[in-house]
Amino acid sequence: HFGSRSKHSGQSSCLAASVAFSFITMASQTKPMYTRFVQPGRLALITYGPCEGKMCTIIDIVDQKRVVVDGPESLTGVRRHLMPVSRLSLTDFRVDIQRGAREKTLKTALAKDDTMKKWSETAWAKKIAAQKVRSEMNDFDRYKLMMAKKRRAKAVKKTIKK
C-alpha cells in the first residue's frame, strides 16, 4: 500500500527519539555547552592583524561582530581600539569590569585577580611562548638544539640497553 508502514517502524523511531532526548537532557544537566561568552572583561588572544599574538580585554560590545578591546597598553602593548570578534580567541578568564571601563579601572581589576599571571601559567600560553622562542631561533641555535636532542637520544638508548 501507499503510505502504509510496518508495525515496528513507528515504535523504533519513537524509541530513538526518546533515547536522543534523554541523552540531550542528561548532557545539559551535567555541564553547560558553552561558557566563553563575548562580554566586557573577557580576556582574549588576538589571532590576526598588527597585534597578533597579544592579549587584550573586551571593554565594550559595539554590535554582533565588533567589540572595543584594550590591553591595557602598559601590560600587553595593545591600545584601545575596535576589533572584529572573528579575530579574537576568547579565553576562560574574565575580570569584573563595567561596560566601557577606563584603562585605570581595567588595570586595577587585572591586578586584583592576578589574571595575567594565571594566563601565563596555562598550557595555551606556554605553547605560544614556546612557538615564539622557536620562531626566533637562528641557525646556530637550531644546530645546538639538534645536538642536544642527539645527546639525549643517545643517553636514553644507553639506559634502555642496560
Side-chain angles (χ1 to χ4, degrees):
H1 265 245
F2 179 76
S4 68
R5 295 183 182 170
S6 66
K7 65 179 183 177
H8 298 292
S9 67
Q11 291 173 346
S12 64
S13 65
C14 181
L15 178 67
S18 67
V19 168
F21 179 72
S22 64
F23 176 73
I24 290 169
T25 54
M26 285 189 327
S28 65
Q29 289 170 356
T30 56
K31 193 175 179 184
M33 182 136 11
Y34 190 75
T35 55
R36 294 178 183 176
F37 298 108
V38 176
Q39 59 194 133
R42 176 71 60 188
L43 204 66
L45 177 72
I46 300 174
T47 58
Y48 185 81
C51 297
E52 182 179 351
K54 294 181 181 178
M55 295 305 296
C56 66
T57 310
I58 296 174
I59 300 298
D60 199 357
I61 299 165
V62 177
D63 59 25
Q64 189 83 16
K65 295 184 177 187
R66 296 177 301 162
V67 293
V68 176
V69 297
D70 194 354
E73 191 175 10
S74 59
L75 288 177
T76 63
V78 178
R79 284 191 163 146
R80 185 174 291 222
H81 66 285
L82 200 66
M83 179 146 250
V85 176
S86 61
R87 294 184 178 187
L88 297 175
S89 287
L90 303 176
T91 66
D92 290 331
F93 299 102
R94 183 174 184 267
V95 291
D96 190 34
I97 58 168
Q98 295 293 315
R99 233 179 117 190
R102 297 181 338 180
E103 188 173 355
K104 185 179 177 183
T105 311
L106 177 60
K107 277 184 195 176
T108 55
L110 287 169
K112 184 177 82 172
D113 296 338
D114 277 337
T115 309
M116 297 310 282
K117 185 173 181 252
K118 289 178 189 173
W119 161 252
S120 64
E121 292 168 356
T122 62
W124 189 2
K126 288 175 185 175
K127 179 181 165 187
I128 290 169
Q131 286 173 344
K132 185 178 179 194
V133 167
R134 224 176 294 123
S135 70
E136 291 174 351
M137 283 182 150
N138 60 25
D139 193 34
F140 186 58
D141 291 333
R142 284 190 287 276
Y143 171 77
K144 289 191 291 187
L145 178 66
M146 180 191 71
M147 295 308 290
K149 284 182 177 180
K150 280 186 175 183
R151 282 193 296 275
R152 184 181 65 190
K154 191 174 181 180
V156 168
K157 279 184 183 178
K158 190 176 179 181
T159 55
I160 291 174
K161 224 177 203 183
K162 287 183 182 180

